[in-house]
Amino acid sequence: VLDYGCGSGLFVQYLQSKGFAAASGYDAYGSAPYDKLPAEKQDVILAQDVIEHVADPAEFLRTLAQLAQPGALAVLGTPNAAVIDLSEPMQYVHTLHQPYHRHIMSAETIGKLAAAQGMTMVDVDPVFYGNSFFPGLNSLYLGRVLRASDDVLDDVLAGKVPMKWELFTPPAIWDAFTGALRDPGIDLTVALRLP
């Protein structure tokens, strides 16, 4: 398993702790040991929140195919262009994430790019991967927390969540407890079978 775009390698370390000793990571902006691509061909490649940042998505898919065993699985997580309403840009400020997100695609677009590379789309899941039934751990409530934090994601990730009244209103509490059931589909996960 290769976590392509692994950051500091937390998911790689988690996989290794669960018995996946050969799990590895790569991040173009990372530090050792995640700053070099593995020499071994991979059975599974995860690329969470990567394809929207690359200069050429088709070239990125070709790179994944070169890193993989024939028939390997690639799992991509990315914002879903099909649900973005540009008449309400502030609702999608983190999804659009300008100027860092270069390409925001729908599952259909990813499927066409993949087919052009000889890949087959195996599955599409239009639900935020981080949704949980634990209160507050879902995309709808996270959006509220970000807006209450002046949209500074790094502060939220560092645990600096402000205690502002708007996080405790009845609609906010409703989102905290039921948001996982009402996911708006802003993020999607696509599984591709590589050639």
Side-chain angles (χ1 to χ4, degrees), residues 106-129:
S106 64
E108 180 182 357
T109 301
I110 294 171
K112 288 178 183 178
L113 277 173
Q117 308 304 318
M119 301 173 181
T120 305
M121 187 178 293
V122 177
D123 194 20
V124 176
D125 187 1
V127 176
F128 178 58
Y129 68 92

Side-chain angles (χ1 to χ4, degrees), residues 56-190:
D56 183 345
E59 179 62 31
F60 176 68
L61 293 178
R62 285 191 289 275
T63 298
L64 296 184
Q66 291 167 357
L67 294 169
Q69 299 277 3
L73 191 66
V75 180
L76 313 176
T78 190
N80 184 3
V83 300
I84 296 172
D85 179 359
L86 292 178
S87 70
E88 305 245 3
M90 291 313 293
Q91 291 296 323
Y92 302 96
V93 69
H94 291 284
T95 304
L96 297 170
H97 198 50
Q98 295 303 302
Y100 304 104
H101 286 181
R102 296 172 163 190
H103 310 277
I104 300 179
M105 299 173 279
S106 64
E108 180 182 357
T109 301
I110 294 171
K112 288 178 183 178
L113 277 173
Q117 308 304 318
M119 301 173 181
T120 305
M121 187 178 293
V122 177
D123 194 20
V124 176
D125 187 1
V127 176
F128 178 58
Y129 68 92
N131 275 348
S132 162
F133 291 111
F134 189 85
L137 296 180
N138 63 70
S139 63
L140 288 177
Y141 193 74
L142 176 60
R144 288 182 178 276
V145 171
L146 287 168
R147 287 187 292 280
S149 305
D150 297 323
D151 290 311
V152 180
L153 181 60
D154 289 344
D155 283 351
V156 173
L157 294 175
K160 299 175 187 171
V161 178
M163 290 304 180
K164 294 191 175 176
W165 68 270
E166 61 258 35
L167 297 177
F168 301 98
T169 63
I173 291 170
W174 179 249
D175 283 350
F177 282 89
T178 68
L181 299 171
R182 300 178 296 113
D183 187 284
I186 294 171
D187 293 281
L188 58 88
T189 302
V190 177

Side-chain angles (χ1 to χ4, degrees), residues 18-41:
K18 295 299 180 185
F20 294 91
S24 60
Y26 170 74
D27 197 297
Y29 304 101
S31 56
Y34 307 116
D35 56 344
K36 292 182 179 49
L37 285 166
E40 312 79 33
K41 297 287 185 182

Side-chain angles (χ1 to χ4, degrees), residues 43-66:
D43 295 317
V44 177
I45 301 174
L46 170 67
Q48 181 64 46
D49 294 316
V50 176
I51 196 167
E52 65 269 23
H53 294 275
V54 301
D56 183 345
E59 179 62 31
F60 176 68
L61 293 178
R62 285 191 289 275
T63 298
L64 296 184
Q66 291 167 357

